[in-house]
Amino acid sequence: MNVSKLTMQKIIAVTAMALAVPMSAYAGHHEGSDKKLHSEMHHHYKHGGMGMLKQLDLTEAQQAQIKQIMEKQRAEIDAVLTPEQREKAKVIRAEWKEKMKDRYKKRKADDANNPM
């Protein structure tokens, strides 16, 4: 696969923006805020990140290329880390995934208990 440097930079920029959107939406959310804000944040979270890439109507070939790039980036990052840092990163990723699952479950329960 031969990807030009400019194409790679564009893909990295889109990915970075896709990851920044849900983070900025979440940063504005505080406990005790009104239901509308929560709903708006949930909308941004749902459609941000990888959801943003879905909104680009990528072809299957483009999706496969982006997946390969992201996997390659993770491998390149892991190659720079020491074995101890790789293990720590693995633990951090697992903790983050668990936190996201818990937040998702809580959000579902809150939505079920507080319909608009």
Side-chain angles (χ1 to χ4, degrees):
M1 178 172 94
N2 187 10
V3 179
S4 73
K5 186 174 181 180
L6 182 60
T7 301
M8 179 68 85
Q9 288 174 340
K10 287 179 183 178
I11 291 171
I12 291 170
V14 168
T15 303
M17 288 186 306
L19 295 174
V21 170
M23 293 302 183
S24 63
Y26 185 77
H29 178 68
H30 301 287
E31 289 298 321
S33 60
D34 66 358
K35 185 68 177 173
K36 184 176 180 185
L37 178 62
H38 176 78
S39 174
E40 290 170 358
M41 188 272 307
H42 178 74
H43 173 79
H44 288 295
Y45 178 79
K46 183 178 179 183
H47 296 289
M50 295 307 287
M52 181 180 154
L53 292 176
K54 289 179 183 178
Q55 291 178 344
L56 294 175
D57 297 322
L58 301 172
T59 66
E60 287 186 26
Q62 289 172 315
Q63 291 174 21
Q65 283 180 315
I66 289 172
K67 184 177 180 180
Q68 282 181 329
I69 291 167
M70 293 174 82
E71 289 171 356
K72 183 179 176 188
Q73 285 178 333
R74 176 177 256 173
E76 289 175 358
I77 290 169
D78 284 349
V80 172
L81 303 176
T82 66
E84 295 82 16
Q85 290 170 327
R86 278 193 292 274
E87 280 304 309
K88 187 174 181 178
K90 187 186 285 187
V91 169
I92 291 169
R93 284 183 199 120
E95 289 172 351
W96 183 83
K97 282 183 181 182
E98 194 61 36
K99 254 189 212 181
M100 292 299 107
K101 284 181 187 177
D102 290 345
R103 287 180 183 166
Y104 177 78
K105 288 177 187 176
K106 183 181 183 306
R107 194 168 49 244
K108 283 292 212 182
D110 288 349
D111 288 347
N113 294 331
N114 301 315
M116 285 188 162

